[in-house]
Amino acid sequence: MVAKHFAHVDTWVFDLDNTLYPPSADLFGQMDGRFSAYVERLTGLDQAGALKLCHDYWTAYGSTLTGLMAHYDVDPHHFLADVHDIDISHLEEDQALSQAIKALPGRKIVFTNGSHNHAKRVLAARGLTVQFDAVYGVEHADFKPKPTQYAFSAVFAKDGVTPTKAAMFEDEARNLAVPHALGMRTVHVHDDPQDADHIHHHTNHLPDFLSQLVR
Ligand SMILES: [Mg+2]
């Protein structure tokens, strides 16, 4: 039944973090620690103050980095290399997810608010590299992250995505608002369903959901 809502889709856009690996892998636990350490060194704030600043920027700008660039003239490449310098050795290959993505007809891309390098590392660890035609990091959106309209416009223009023929899979509900407004099919990948006009579908198990779309 759900497949009919995706029959027109020729491009499949996936978020990376907590979408193509389970939140239980807790990469953000490590990244948040590196965010706050970076901000402590930069600002002289203590850890609590740095964490609050990170969160305030994430809320206001879509990412901590954007706030740091606006207020502290941070070099985004230096920042991204630092905060993504994490241990991902516990990530496991996911055959079910790999096969489910492979079976989708059309173009498949990743669009993350993290760096391109981070995405490539994580995809390799998950055994998903070969399934994607392109991988876009926040640098491809000129460091203006999702959920901004700019981010989607920039990356979709680069890739040639026609939003009305595309679907977006994403764990952060707010990052589905612009895709929905652009005419994409939106899928919230999360343990907790969320009621929102800009969410068409919800799943807590991406491989199962994708396998319903291909008959
Ligand atoms: Mg995510």
Side-chain angles (χ1 to χ4, degrees):
M1 290 305 285
V2 71
K4 69 172 189 280
H5 296 296
F6 293 82
H8 64 293
V9 170
D10 69 9
T11 304
W12 310 81
V13 186
F14 294 84
D15 171 50
L16 179 82
D17 290 301
N18 291 346
T19 295
L20 293 179
Y21 63 81
S24 58
D26 197 27
L27 298 195
F28 275 108
Q30 292 185 63
M31 288 191 278
D32 286 346
R34 298 198 68 88
F35 281 135
S36 68
Y38 194 100
V39 171
E40 284 171 54
R41 293 195 299 274
L42 183 71
T43 63
L45 289 167
D46 64 10
Q47 189 184 32
L51 281 170
K52 182 176 183 308
L53 192 68
C54 290
H55 186 263
D56 289 349
Y57 285 167
W58 184 86
T59 305
Y61 294 99
S63 78
T64 299
L65 172 58
T66 315
L68 292 176
M69 288 171 69
H71 294 277
Y72 289 94
D73 200 24
V74 159
D75 172 10
H77 299 284
H78 181 262
F79 176 84
L80 288 169
D82 187 292
V83 299
H84 288 317
D85 184 16
I86 56 172
D87 177 14
I88 61 166
S89 59
H90 58 295
L91 286 183
E92 294 175 347
E93 293 198 4
D94 190 335
Q95 274 303 321
L97 181 56
S98 181
Q99 289 307 310
I101 293 170
K102 183 180 183 178
L104 298 171
R107 188 169 172 80
K108 300 132 201 181
I109 67 174
V110 171
F111 177 22
T112 174
N113 274 350
S115 72
H116 179 256
N117 269 345
H118 170 66
K120 297 293 274 187
R121 263 185 97 204
V122 168
L123 291 174
R126 294 284 283 154
L128 299 173
T129 303
V130 298
Q131 304 306 353
F132 290 101
D133 299 294
V135 177
Y136 298 96
V138 70
E139 57 268 69
H140 297 105
D142 304 315
F143 305 103
K144 296 179 178 72
K146 299 177 285 184
T148 66
Q149 171 98 41
Y150 182 91
F152 292 99
S153 301
V155 166
F156 290 173
K158 280 192 172 74
D159 197 76
V161 175
T162 303
T164 51
K165 295 168 75 176
M168 178 90 201
F169 300 83
E170 165 71 64
D171 69 291
E172 283 184 40
R174 68 175 183 168
N175 291 349
L176 291 169
V178 168
H180 182 272
L182 293 172
M184 298 177 78
R185 207 71 203 165
T186 59
V187 183
H188 187 218
V189 183
H190 202 279
D191 281 344
D192 303 316
Q194 225 178 81
D195 236 348
D197 289 343
H198 63 273
I199 295 175
H200 289 127
H201 306 275
H202 168 266
T203 182
N204 61 6
H205 197 278
L206 189 54
D208 282 356
F209 186 87
L210 294 178
S211 63
Q212 294 175 58
L213 306 184
V214 182
R215 293 290 169 193

